[in-house]
Amino acid sequence: MHDDRTLVEARLKRVLDERIRPAVHPESVPLDVAVWNAPGEPVPVAEGLAGPVEPIAVGDRWGAPWSTCWFRVSGTVPAHWAGRTVEALLDLGFDENMPGFQCEGLVYRPDGTPVKGLNPRNQWVRVGAPAEGGEEVLLHIEAASNPVILDYHPFLPTRLGDKETAGSELQYTLARMDLAVFDEHVWNLVQDLEVLGELMAELPVEGARRWDILRAIGRALDAVDLQNVNSTAEAARAELAGVLATPAQPSAHRISAVGHAHIDSAWLWPLRETVRKVARTTSNMTALLEDEPDFVFAMSQAQQFAWIKEHRPEVYAKVKKAVADGRFVPSGGMWVESDTNMPGSEAMARQFVYGKRFFIDEFGIENDEAWLPDTFGFAAGLPQIIKAAGSKWLLTQKISWSQTNKFPHHTFRWEGIDGTRIFTHFPPVDTYNCSMKGSEIAHAADNFKDKGVARHSLAPTGWGDGGGGTTREMIAKAARMRSLEGSATVEWEKPADFFAKAEAEYPDAPVWVGELYLELHRATLTSQAKTKQGNRRSEHLLREAELWAATAAVRSGHPYPYEQLDRIWKTVLLHQFHDILPGSSIAWVHREAEKTYAAVAGELSGIVDAAQRALAGDPAAGRELLFNSAPHTRAGVGAGAAGAAHRGSEGQLAPREGGGFVLDNGLLQVEIDARGLVVSAYDIGAERETVAPGQAANLLQIHPDFPNMWDAWDVDAFYRNTVTDLTGLDELTPVEDGDTVGVRIVRSFGRSKVTQLLTLTSGAKRLDIDTEVDWHETEKFLKAAFPLDVHAERYASETQFGHFYRATHTNTSWEAAKFEACNHRFVHVEEPGWGVALVNDSTYGHDVTRTVRAFDAGTTTTVRVSLLRAPRFPDPETDQGVHRFRHALAPGAAIGDAVREGFRINLPERRVTGEHEVAPLVTVDNYAVVVSAVKLADDASGDVVVRLYESTGGRARVRLGTGFAATGVAVTDLLERPLDGVTAPELTEEGVSLSLRPFELVTLRLTRG
């Protein structure tokens, strides 16, 4: 037989595009349209429905950036359409290639009842099935003219990302406002042909199945009368019935489809717009669930449920009913789909506490899975947190975006720093926006790494990023692929059902140990410095507020601010969303975040001040008390206590031969040369130099920074090819202040200026570095380098509830790819017997490299902290302005010292005048054990909750002492519920004795007498 394959395939494309798809709606009449341009921010539904409208016509422009227009569409169903299915086709000016990234709408009935959302791939509203002839139609559309930020030429700087700079140019052209007949037979023919055509393209040309489908398609196209598609659609479908009915092979890959609409809680739109995106999407999905009995939809992020509960109760009522029916599945058990690299220990724990508790309280549902499809890598401490929250599974697909190395598994067990293992799945479909295309289904089956030992994978199905969700077309395609020869099988399932099957079939899944590092989006550890500083400051203020409020409540009956802390925690957790904290959102988002963090700081400082005042007593007593919020003794005051601070002797400052100054406090001797650079940091006790010979530390370096894509997200390895050392000096001035000596350094570069204060404090074995940068560069990357005379093949960086080791070498592509990585409060470099810590108060990105010196064969390990970037997309003014950072170099530090110094720099001293010293609520007698939280139980019972962990990576025996009458103790999960099968430790007059594994996390609930 002659090969006419390409001829038939080309015929299929043209006939579908030009004849069959247009025949889905064979008859139409225009609707009358009027519009009200709502002033300012979005208005309540009742106000929008009552707004004064003016006529508008198809072809007219509408919608200034970020504005809202309320359209009223009206018409009459023609009498001769009676008994037929009729839909309104409402095209606001969509580009179908941009689902989730354009204008959107939510359709209401005149009484304010939401009907469904409008999106680029979802423009229809059912009017009648069957319709009544002469029926009057009246619908209202709340249309958001969200501007296109990420356009066909992506990453171009734009002022559209903030309503204050976006201007007033109308963004969209009204494209279609019609009533139309819907021909279900033609629509089904479209789905048949799309499924078979897409499957055919994925099958081997030499295989019989491909030719069977080709011939069936040819016969179907022959059966179509191109001048009368509607009358011949059923005959065409009959020609396809045979190939559609051929079942899948028993060995076919099995895909669990989960309805999904990944909605970024903020990104290329502000938080307030996400509230409406969620309402539109959930309106669509609840309507679709009513029409499609097999369909299952899952939505993560408790915050998004809470938004519609507060702002769209009529939509929430439908959601709550669908959840009760088991069809709309709350998933993930987190407050938001947060970043997991940068949130601190307690914040990461509270993501699960607040997310799971919301789902339990609202729906009676507890999730076993963490659902994070789009998060930019996963910290090594996360498995233990997932388990401690009562969950056991994790889903993500983002690691498929890695640039360098292909991850070796799709289903595996992920082991964290403490040994906890979590069953983990990466959907091999490689997208969280699966649309049921044949190419996607074939890719999932072909790409699956665990063939031969496992057969199940998951496909999150629906338009996402900006929402939209699953469409009726996706459901129709899935139905045809439920069992179809040549294809993977597709079945709608809840995430929990998928995980249960996948784990049961693969009990001996391979193990991956350590972080799940994304080899992409590394610059998110640095972009938008003020957002990151706001997060870090909020986390530590929350620690202080809970500690002192709990102490005051127990000691003096001071009221504990349960509701206020609950609200503030949720605000902080929201801003850890994976496009807010990483700095990858539009200017509007980060401008609002800065204001929000300032308000949070004010509230939390007020809680701390009130509690400390209640504890300290009469300020007229005039006694200065140091309140120590850190988990270690400080200036002679115990952890969680308040008392008189011990002051040390003064340090010494002297001129340095050749220029500069020498600082000495008896523990460290630091030389700062005439350039203002640290050329020596000598550990006097260890008789050991810190700075590599011939090198200078605290060296500011600037690089060009113009990645190939994803400006705010990425830094590409070639940025290192060009570097400028900032050694020019405007000012070098000695500073002496009580028990502190130091120097002030001022430098100018480009259009920017940096001022640094380097100080030694008596009794402290560290060099403090306070940096202020007035930053006005663009597409530049600023770092501070510390070349250390340390031979180390690995280094430690703090993560949640412990630390994680990375290599300093680049033996393999896996190590070379980690050229920018995350730390929390410290980076620690060590050779046996001696180490150095570099601690920070608000930076996360860093790099560590090693070289061998030619002149003495010694090893220089260089730690560089990332300070600032200046990408121009999506915020063209990223990081412009004044920034302040605090770092400290701690020579001779063991890992425990790094932990202590990290807490110290993030928890500044608070001094209060009063009459009473304050004993701590709890004490620990092992330096390696860190108390990460002291608070009252969330259920307002008055119980004291203490969370602690082993911080050095070794085993630890510890006694927790209680500074109050405790009558009982229980080991709990993160939600403060006693753990099943765990025997409570004995409570004695001396407290509670525990034995901890390396990095083990324990939560104790203490009942007060």
Side-chain angles (χ1 to χ4, degrees):
M1 181 179 287
H2 296 298
D3 185 353
D4 59 350
R5 176 177 57 84
T6 56
L7 192 67
V8 176
E9 290 171 354
R11 181 189 182 195
L12 170 63
K13 182 180 185 308
R14 185 175 186 193
V15 172
L16 259 176
D17 288 346
E18 297 184 22
R19 292 293 187 270
I20 301 178
R21 287 195 186 99
V24 169
H25 293 99
E27 299 178 57
S28 64
V29 295
L31 288 160
D32 294 323
V33 190
V35 66
W36 175 53
N37 297 301
E41 285 294 278
V43 300
V45 174
E47 185 177 342
L49 296 177
V53 295
E54 298 178 350
I56 187 173
V58 168
D60 289 347
R61 300 286 286 174
W62 69 276
W66 304 114
S67 68
T68 301
C69 293
W70 283 84
F71 292 97
R72 187 182 70 189
V73 296
S74 58
T76 304
V77 176
H80 66 282
W81 289 3
R84 303 169 77 180
T85 300
V86 176
E87 295 181 339
L89 301 181
L90 308 172
D91 186 344
L92 299 173
F94 297 123
D95 181 337
E96 291 191 1
N97 295 317
M98 293 186 178
F101 295 92
Q102 282 213 316
C103 58
E104 298 174 48
L106 181 55
V107 179
Y108 295 89
R109 295 188 179 93
D111 64 359
T113 304
V115 181
K116 69 185 294 287
L118 297 177
N119 304 91
R121 299 288 183 98
N122 204 332
Q123 304 173 17
W124 60 273
V125 175
R126 184 63 54 86
V127 170
E132 296 182 11
E135 178 183 352
E136 295 295 325
V137 176
L138 177 59
L139 298 171
H140 297 263
I141 308 168
E142 180 190 18
S145 60
N146 302 332
V148 175
I149 306 296
L150 191 65
D151 213 333
Y152 285 98
H153 187 163
F155 317 120
L156 288 180
T158 175
R159 298 284 177 179
L160 290 171
D162 194 329
K163 65 177 181 178
E164 294 187 353
T165 60
S168 58
E169 181 180 349
L170 301 182
Q171 298 292 292
Y172 296 101
T173 300
L174 204 61
R176 185 176 187 182
M177 294 277 142
D178 289 344
L179 283 179
V181 171
F182 174 74
D183 189 326
E184 188 169 0
H185 296 299
V186 177
W187 183 83
N188 275 306
L189 176 60
V190 171
Q191 312 316 313
D192 292 346
L193 289 170
E194 285 190 355
V195 166
L196 291 171
E198 291 167 3
L199 171 61
M200 180 175 63
E202 301 301 323
L203 295 171
V205 173
E206 62 275 10
R209 176 63 170 166
R210 179 161 183 160
W211 291 90
D212 287 344
I213 294 173
L214 185 81
R215 295 302 168 216
I217 288 175
R219 293 193 300 271
L221 295 178
D222 290 341
V224 173
D225 182 343
L226 299 183
Q227 275 67 50
N228 194 354
V229 173
N230 301 86
S231 67
T232 54
E234 286 188 83
R237 292 196 70 204
E239 296 294 341
L240 301 173
V243 288
L244 282 169
T246 309
Q249 297 171 350
S251 61
H253 185 68
R254 297 172 185 173
I255 292 177
S256 296
V258 178
H260 187 239
H262 173 68
I263 304 178
D264 286 309
S265 288
W267 180 28
L268 304 180
W269 44 86
L271 287 167
R272 67 89 154 143
E273 191 56 32
T274 313
V275 176
R276 302 201 295 175
K277 283 177 173 287
V278 174
R280 296 173 200 128
T281 295
T282 53
S283 294
N284 267 356
M285 296 303 98
T286 53
L288 201 56
L289 287 166
E290 292 176 2
D291 296 337
E292 301 290 346
D294 294 332
F295 178 49
V296 175
F297 181 77
M299 189 171 91
S300 68
Q301 307 191 67
Q303 172 70 84
Q304 296 188 358
F305 287 84
W307 273 334
I308 52 173
K309 180 182 180 182
E310 177 184 358
H311 297 284
R312 289 288 196 272
E314 67 282 4
V315 177
Y316 190 66
K318 293 184 176 183
V319 169
K320 200 157 187 178
K321 179 183 182 303
V323 172
D325 292 341
R327 308 276 308 288
F328 195 119
V329 183
S331 61
M334 296 176 69
W335 191 247
V336 294
E337 289 183 11
S338 74
D339 181 83
T340 74
N341 285 313
M342 290 176 282
S345 304
E346 275 303 310
M348 199 73 257
R350 305 300 174 96
Q351 285 286 352
F352 288 90
V353 169
Y354 283 94
K356 296 195 76 168
R357 187 172 288 146
F358 183 92
F359 290 158
I360 291 168
D361 292 346
E362 288 291 314
F363 310 119
I365 290 173
E366 180 161 4
N367 301 93
D368 285 326
E369 78 285 346
W371 183 275
L372 290 164
D374 191 31
T375 297
F376 309 153
F378 300 86
L382 188 57
Q384 180 175 207
I385 297 172
I386 293 173
K387 182 180 179 182
S391 298
K392 57 184 179 180
W393 299 318
L394 170 66
L395 178 135
T396 183
Q397 69 84 43
K398 197 66 174 188
I399 302 301
S400 69
W401 287 42
S402 286
Q403 287 179 316
T404 306
N405 298 285
K406 290 284 286 183
F407 197 80
H409 318 293
H410 281 108
T411 303
F412 61 100
R413 295 190 186 275
W414 177 28
E415 182 178 319
I417 56 175
D418 74 314
T420 297
R421 292 180 177 180
I422 295 294
F423 189 79
T424 302
H425 180 65
F426 293 173
V429 71
D430 282 349
T431 178
Y432 48 77
N433 293 328
C434 176
S435 62
M436 285 291 140
K437 282 185 179 178
S439 56
E440 294 171 335
I441 302 305
H443 177 74
D446 294 344
N447 187 40
F448 188 55
K449 299 287 187 184
D450 304 286
K451 299 182 187 76
V453 286
R455 192 178 294 169
H456 284 79
S457 72
L458 186 147
T461 302
W463 299 118
D465 290 311
T470 317
T471 65
R472 61 185 178 183
E473 289 78 14
M474 296 175 193
I475 293 174
K477 286 186 170 186
R480 287 158 173 78
M481 290 184 285
R482 188 178 182 91
S483 181
L484 181 63
E485 184 187 355
S487 171
T489 67
V490 178
E491 182 178 4
W492 295 105
E493 287 194 300
K494 299 176 184 178
D497 292 339
F498 159 75
F499 272 108
K501 289 180 181 178
E503 191 170 23
E505 79 168 359
Y506 205 8
D508 298 320
V511 177
W512 180 271
V513 179
E515 68 181 331
L516 294 172
Y517 179 91
L518 178 63
E519 296 169 355
L520 193 74
H521 293 359
R522 304 166 180 90
T524 57
L525 303 172
T526 306
S527 298
Q528 298 287 2
K530 288 183 179 177
T531 298
K532 292 171 170 58
Q533 288 179 323
N535 173 72
R536 180 76 70 85
R537 180 68 173 137
S538 297
E539 289 179 346
H540 288 84
L541 279 168
L542 277 161
R543 172 195 174 88
E544 291 188 86
E546 289 183 337
L547 169 65
W548 298 118
T551 305
V554 173
R555 292 274 182 265
S556 66
H558 185 72
Y560 190 83
Y562 290 102
E563 293 182 1
Q564 190 178 11
L565 287 171
D566 181 86
R567 174 175 48 79
I568 293 171
W569 262 117
K570 289 172 180 175
T571 298
V572 173
L573 297 177
L574 166 60
H575 286 79
Q576 291 178 339
F577 178 75
H578 66 252
D579 276 307
I580 302 179
L581 179 54
S584 47
S585 288
I586 56 174
W588 189 348
V589 173
H590 294 289
R591 173 172 56 80
E592 285 191 334
E594 186 175 357
K595 293 178 181 177
T596 298
Y597 283 130
V600 163
E603 278 199 80
L604 291 173
S605 295
I607 293 172
V608 172
D609 292 345
Q612 291 180 342
R613 174 55 50 214
L615 289 163
D618 187 3
R623 184 181 182 191
E624 185 180 71
L625 302 170
L626 184 149
F627 277 76
N628 179 19
S629 304
H632 308 92
T633 298
R634 183 177 193 163
V637 178
H646 169 74
R647 294 185 180 276
S649 58
E650 295 183 3
Q652 298 180 353
L653 184 151
R656 175 180 178 273
E657 184 177 347
F661 298 91
V662 178
L663 314 178
D664 193 325
N665 67 356
L667 299 173
L668 288 180
Q669 185 181 82
V670 177
E671 295 187 34
I672 299 162
D673 70 5
R675 300 169 297 172
L677 301 177
V678 177
V679 292
S680 174
Y682 188 71
D683 180 346
I684 294 172
E687 299 181 342
R688 174 71 185 259
E689 176 57 60
T690 305
V691 181
Q695 300 292 308
N698 190 41
L699 172 64
L700 295 174
Q701 296 180 309
I702 197 164
H703 299 268
D705 184 18
F706 189 62
N708 289 346
M709 297 176 67
W710 299 106
D711 296 41
W713 294 257
D714 281 359
V715 57
D716 289 329
F718 54 73
Y719 89 93
R720 290 180 170 177
N721 297 347
T722 306
V723 60
T724 301
D725 294 342
L726 302 180
T727 57
L729 190 65
D730 299 347
E731 178 185 333
L732 181 61
T733 309
V735 175
E736 295 186 71
D737 182 13
D739 59 353
T740 299
V741 294
V743 296
R744 182 174 184 269
I745 303 159
V746 181
R747 306 182 194 279
S748 299
F749 58 95
R751 296 182 297 136
S752 304
K753 181 179 180 179
V754 60
T755 302
Q756 291 189 300
L757 186 64
L758 277 57
T759 56
L760 277 185
T761 301
S762 64
K765 197 175 178 181
R766 66 174 183 270
L767 174 67
D768 288 310
I769 304 165
D770 290 7
T771 303
E772 178 180 290
V773 185
D774 189 4
W775 180 249
H776 297 285
E777 307 306 303
T778 57
E779 296 168 352
K780 296 288 192 295
F781 197 2
L782 181 65
K783 285 181 169 266
F786 295 82
L788 308 175
D789 190 12
V790 177
H791 178 82
E793 293 183 358
R794 66 177 190 172
Y795 74 95
S797 58
E798 189 183 35
T799 189
Q800 292 98 2
F801 299 112
H803 57 268
F804 175 67
Y805 287 102
R806 298 186 184 94
T808 61
H809 58 74
T810 54
N811 280 359
T812 71
S813 59
W814 293 87
E815 286 125 8
K818 295 183 180 182
F819 58 81
E820 184 79 4
C822 182
N823 66 276
H824 286 187
R825 288 170 290 230
F826 70 79
V827 169
H828 182 257
V829 181
E830 186 176 32
E831 59 187 48
W834 194 83
V836 182
L838 185 61
V839 301
N840 72 83
D841 77 337
S842 60
T843 58
Y844 296 91
H846 69 276
D847 68 85
V848 179
T849 55
R850 68 197 303 268
T851 58
V852 175
R853 303 184 291 268
F855 60 88
D856 68 351
T859 301
T860 298
T861 302
T862 301
V863 178
R864 298 199 309 163
V865 296
S866 303
L867 298 178
L868 289 165
R869 299 183 68 233
R872 300 180 65 210
F873 181 88
D875 176 5
E877 299 295 327
T878 302
D879 282 332
Q880 300 302 295
V882 176
H883 303 269
R884 295 176 178 85
F885 307 97
R886 298 177 68 228
H887 294 82
L889 182 70
I895 197 76
D897 300 316
V899 174
R900 183 194 70 239
E901 290 296 337
F903 274 104
R904 178 202 63 79
I905 201 171
N906 282 275
L907 291 164
E909 294 182 2
R910 292 184 183 270
R911 296 179 182 269
V912 179
T913 56
E915 56 183 328
H916 304 303
E917 292 195 354
V918 181
L921 279 189
V922 296
T923 59
V924 292
D925 64 356
N926 189 324
Y927 182 84
V929 176
V930 167
V931 174
S932 68
V934 177
K935 60 189 288 292
L936 294 193
D938 290 342
D939 62 6
S941 63
D943 291 354
V944 175
V945 173
V946 181
R947 192 144 34 245
L948 48 83
Y949 67 100
E950 197 290 317
S951 68
T952 66
R955 294 186 179 270
R957 293 190 61 82
V958 63
R959 183 167 61 243
L960 178 84
T962 59
F964 58 94
T967 59
V969 61
V971 180
T972 74
D973 64 8
L974 294 179
L975 277 70
E976 302 170 5
R977 304 172 299 189
L979 290 174
D980 293 336
V982 175
T983 303
E986 183 181 4
L987 176 64
T988 67
E989 290 184 1
E990 288 75 32
V992 179
S993 294
L994 300 169
S995 180
L996 303 182
R997 302 186 313 273
F999 299 128
E1000 183 177 2
L1001 161 67
V1002 174
T1003 303
L1004 298 176
R1005 182 169 180 149
L1006 298 156
T1007 306
R1008 289 159 57 194

